Amino acid sequence: MKAIFNLFDFKFIFYANDYDPIHIHVIKEDIHAKFSISPVKLIENNGLTQAEVRQIIEVIKHNEELIMEHWNKYFNNNRK
């Protein structure tokens, strides 16, 4: 698991065995969701409210370049 950042008690992470397309997992206690990055959209939701989904989508959009940079650096270095 590779943590990218934490915000509002949510952790934005990748898992070591993740695969393309670029996506991010968002976790908080027993809540878990998965979002694609380009375009930013909800793929899977296990407990987020609609307000949280909207908030997280905005956070991801605002940090899209950062997330993609971390994804490319992490997976290009670890899949050789």
Side-chain angles (χ1 to χ4, degrees):
M1 176 172 58
K2 165 79 170 140
I4 306 305
F5 56 87
N6 297 333
L7 189 62
F8 309 120
D9 295 326
F10 289 100
K11 293 180 184 178
F12 292 73
I13 65 168
F14 303 136
Y15 289 108
N17 62 345
D18 273 342
Y19 50 87
D20 289 333
I22 298 173
H23 61 278
I24 194 159
H25 299 266
V26 180
I27 58 174
K28 177 182 175 183
E29 299 171 3
D30 61 345
I31 295 171
H32 175 268
K34 180 177 170 182
F35 294 83
S36 66
I37 301 303
S38 187
V40 178
K41 66 178 182 177
L42 179 65
I43 297 172
E44 180 181 313
N45 182 9
N46 294 308
L48 291 177
T49 67
Q50 287 300 322
E52 289 171 327
V53 168
R54 286 190 299 272
Q55 181 182 34
I56 290 169
I57 285 174
E58 289 305 312
V59 167
I60 293 171
K61 285 180 179 178
H62 184 73
N63 291 283
E64 188 172 349
E65 282 186 37
L66 174 72
I67 294 166
M68 291 173 66
E69 180 181 311
H70 278 274
W71 176 282
N72 289 325
K73 184 176 179 182
Y74 182 77
F75 288 107
N76 288 339
N77 288 338
N78 290 312
R79 290 190 179 157
K80 293 182 179 180

